Amino acid sequence: MKRINSVEDLEREREKIRAARDPNKPCITICTGTGCHAAGCYPVAGALREALRTGGIEGEVDLRITGCHGFCERGPLVVINPQRILYQRVKPDDAPDIVSETLKKGKIIERLLYVHPLTEEKIVREDDVPFYKLQKRIIFGNNGNIDPTSIEDYLAIGGYSALAKALTSMEPQQIVEEVKKSGLRGRGGGGFHTGTKWESCRKASGDTRYVICNADEGDPGAYMDRSLLEGNPHSVLEGMIIGAFAIGSNEGYVYVRNEYPLAVENLRIALDRANDWGFFGKNILGSGFDFNVKINRGGGAFVCGESTALMASLEGQPGEPRAKHIHTVESGLYEKPTNLNNVETWANVPYIVNLGAEQYRQIGTDGSKGTKIFSLVGKVNNTGLVEVPMGITLREIVYDIGGGIIGGKRFKAIQTGGPSGGCLPESLLDLPVDFDRLTEAGSMMGSGGMIVMDENNCMVDVAKYFMNFLKEESCGKCASCREGTKRMYEVLHRITEGNGREGDIALLEDLSFVTAEASLCALGGTAPNPVLSTIRYFREEYEVHIKNKKCPAGVCKELITYRIIPNQCTICGRCQKVCPSQAIRGKIKMKKPFEILPEKCIRCGMCSEACKFDAIEIV
Amino acid sequence: MENLNVYAVRLLTQKEYFAPGHRSCQGCAEALAVRLIAKALGRNAIVVQATGCMEIVASPLPFTSWEVPWIHVAFETAASVASGIEAGLKALMRKGRLPKKRVTVLGMGGDGATNDIGIMALSGALERGHDFVYICTDNEAYMNTGIQRSSGTPFGASTTTSPAGRVIPGQITWKKNMAAIAAAHNIPYVATACPSYPLDLVDKVKKAAGTKGPAYVHILSVCPTGWRSPTEMSIRLGRLAAETGVFPLYEIVNGRYRLTIDFPKLRPIRDYFKYQGRFRHLTDEMTEQIEERVHREYQALKDKCQ
Amino acid sequence: MVELTVDGQAVGAEKGKMLLPICLDAGFDIPHLCYNESVRPYGACRLCLVEVRKNGRGRMTTSCTYPVIEGIEVLTQTEKVLRARRLVIELILAMCPGDEEIQEMAREMGVEDVRFEKEEKDCILCGLCGRVCEEVVGANAIHFANKGSNREMIPPFAGEATDCIACGACVTVCPVNVIGMREESDERTIIRWKRTLKMKKCKVCGNYFAPWFQLEKFRQQAGLPTDFFDTCYSCRE
């Protein structure tokens, strides 16, 4: 491909691509995001290709491998365009049917449709599925329509038009103003106003400036950035070029986790293709603006998601944060002014430039504009990635989009904001989700993790889990964070083991204070959130653990015993078969209810799961 | 410690509490010693100084080199004033009139002020057990008044009041062992040091300051003026004094002796004498006699270190 | 020059200087373990916390890494600061209960005992030795390894520190004295880094005066003649 040297050339090429495509030509898109990949989308894709060939309609139907559609719970997902028929949980064996029935005869295959869990109505079109219907997918929506490795796909949906607009008809300062006006706030967790940040960086003294895309997403259970990079890397790159132009930078970096091989791969392909087309390098689109991006793979430290640690890591130093009394926009990477934004923030930029700040401001609340992608996981029916407007309530996310709690159990808490976020209880379900409201409630937006918990989750155990993660991932520089998280884990551990002491809650509060107040970076500063928020909203649960040595949720192994309820035991022997430690006494012949020997029981819960008659209880 | 002075000395504070610009002679090792002492003690110190070289050079009215509280007192009273200040601080802190913090009270004098004129006050202060440090900066004669002998002048050294002539070979008495006298008070810390070994000196002063109760540090300070030695030789002379065994570097912590720098083989004493005009007149025979006694005393000290 | 107030007292300071040395110079006692003016401030021990008020907003920060600016109000003894310091020293003491310097410091701050299980570490992970080795000596013989609670200061792969010149700068700078050096006849060992170097004997006086490896390194760096270090400092004419 020869470089495009002007906006006119770009539009001409775009028209060429569009002209070569028939919008009514059937096209099967297969989601190959992380969730669908795990569910086995590639065999499905292979089977579909094979079926198309044997069916003899190979040339008449396009087959497109796309990034994540978001509805991971129901993967592998197949969408048939132009009708937008959604088939879920497709298996390779279904491929011939899809070809012969749907594509050839235009019939819907009922068994592959999504069934509404309440109304039991079968839903045909993707957009009618409640999971998608209530979302506002301005950033994430294109994932399902394009092949991430194909720049033509991205151009066909209007890609790089924002760049063309920015380079030719806008002054850098004007772009900054536009972003400022849009109210876009950093999606990586800090929630700092992006426009303000750009402006400070633009005004900082020095010739060399850097822009960085932070794709070191390390929160357990969060994969928004990953899916964006895997599914639509060009949108992120386009945002970066516009940002660099606005700030006055000629060099950029993408710091991406090495644990995301597909994201790295797709990003690299996207970068190469964009380079070929002339969206990078010298004199981009004939505007005289030069910009290059390098991809840097992270070494797997959670703390490298912190901006100064990330920059240290980019420089080749150990990934440790440093004091930010002089902001990174003034002295960041190699002590030069550096603007760092998260993947999702960058992906928002083309949208804002294209449609203008006014339109963007329509979405969201007073303090938080636009949409936010959340990864909704845990004990919720529809796990997956959801993009919702700011200000939506937690209830809408969990019940309307998420489809409620698995097995109709009771909602207990939702953990937002990754390991440093907090757990919010049922009473706060109507809390509108935006940066400020979440912080007020003792949690945070973070990068957008949402873990739903039901009555079978022990909050002390949850706090312990996150503290374990944090103590491992603290860089260890600050004594307060390194020792504080370790000691908090220790205290939580002993509470869950039944060795909790009077005053342990106060001790945890002391430790939380010192970890948050005395540590350097945001990791230490927010590390106590899981503990503090669970103490704040679930104090009784802690007290029961400490005083009564009981775990109400039946999670903490040392505090529970399994018991067979004699009246309900049908003497089937199932529990005895699955018990790994021969802790269940009884014989079917004896016709007497089985018994669990407490001294042998390792409290694995296998028997309880195996019992079909709910005859095993936790006391 | 002593051999670590390649990079370790750079880790000493760059803050000067004994400022440059004072009027000591070229090559004065005593000024260097005081500078190191001041660095070792840091900001929370009160210095009481008897009359002597260091008082003269550092406080020409209206200037002073001292950046910590400093008081000049009469020749014999450094130790007694220091003990008074220490007692006063203690009382004021106890009554809550001063915030409780660690303040080092330092009494300082030369060999004249310590060995001769102020020995009574010093002995009393050591005996009373005040929590203070006394440092003697010993340049082996009354230098600022014109190189008169003191009881710290070594055997054979020529001074204006012990001139070497045909009959008398300079100083005819052996140098008073002031460190041993201090040690005889059974105080918790006694040490000898020399600015040619700066880390060792700083370490000892810090230890002295950290000691609860009285501490005494005796510092050999090369004086090019009085010793009639080239000014650029001051540091080397200090090292030679230690290497020849003339001025062994040791410390006594709660009665336990330890040589902080031990040499398996002592250097011939001639190496030390040959750079100094005050010993120029000594014959080989006398040098050998001196060497023999130095070795004997060094051995005796080593025996105590066992 | 900028003007600031520390505990109500006006203090002048050079612009860009860090707060801790300025407060110490002005006579305010702020405990600290990982600060040394010869190396860049690091902020690992978190003991030098103070409250800084700027434009009416106050927050707690380590004074060693805070560059002074005009008009700030520094508070070194507020209840919040003291509480945080006490907790930090308690955490450090629980990690290294055997270090006398830490015990003493804790006692001064009013911490007698710790509420946690005592560990048996001795290094407080202030990083001074490594930073001195890098910034002052330039040998880069040791560095932090691992993260979180597994963090430790070690030679490469926890073996012998093969770049160590046994200068002992780390030994002197260590605030808790746990590195240790041993000199036995013709050998010098930096105990913690498992580094033993042969000492060079002076041709004239016969005393051992410095490690071979170190002298050889200096000789090469400075381009000195091969026999330059045959004699010790005292014997060199």
Side-chain angles (χ1 to χ4, degrees), chain B residues 1 3-4 6-8 10-11 13-15 43-44 101-102 236 239 243 263-265 267 275, chain C residues 24-25 27 29 36-38 108 167 169 172-173 181 188 205 207 214 218 232-237:
Chain B
M1 282 303 252
N3 278 332
L4 298 182
V6 191
Y7 289 108
R10 296 200 201 169
L11 304 173
T13 173
Q14 280 153 32
K15 175 83 188 156
R43 205 184 175 286
N44 289 337
K101 66 177 178 183
R102 258 194 287 182
R236 181 177 288 193
R239 295 185 73 94
E243 287 175 19
F263 300 97
K265 199 176 108 213
R267 193 182 274 274
Y275 299 109
Chain C
L24 292 176
D25 278 355
D29 277 340
N36 187 303
E37 59 187 277
S38 8
E108 273 175 20
C167 69
T172 35
V173 83
M181 194 185 84
R188 179 190 288 178
C205 67
N207 284 328
Q214 184 187 96
F218 291 164
C232 74
Y233 314 113
S234 307
C235 295
R236 205 173 301 144
E237 286 300 330

Side-chain angles (χ1 to χ4, degrees), chain B residues 256-273:
Chain B
R256 290 181 71 91
Y257 282 69
R258 187 174 76 89
L259 273 171
T260 48
I261 301 170
D262 190 10
F263 300 97
K265 199 176 108 213
L266 290 177
R267 193 182 274 274
I269 207 158
R270 206 172 291 111
D271 288 359
Y272 177 55
F273 283 178

Side-chain angles (χ1 to χ4, degrees), chain A residues 397-416:
Chain A
I397 296 180
V398 174
Y399 284 97
D400 300 342
I401 298 175
I405 309 297
I406 296 178
K409 289 199 175 145
R410 218 180 130 196
F411 172 91
K412 183 168 187 182
I414 182 162
Q415 211 274 353
T416 70

Side-chain angles (χ1 to χ4, degrees), chain B residues 45-73:
Chain B
I46 296 173
V47 183
V48 181
Q49 186 143 42
T51 303
C53 276
M54 282 305 107
E55 172 262 317
I56 299 282
V57 302
S59 63
L61 198 74
F63 306 113
T64 179
S65 277
W66 286 98
E67 296 193 7
V68 290
W70 177 85
I71 178 172
H72 165 227
V73 296

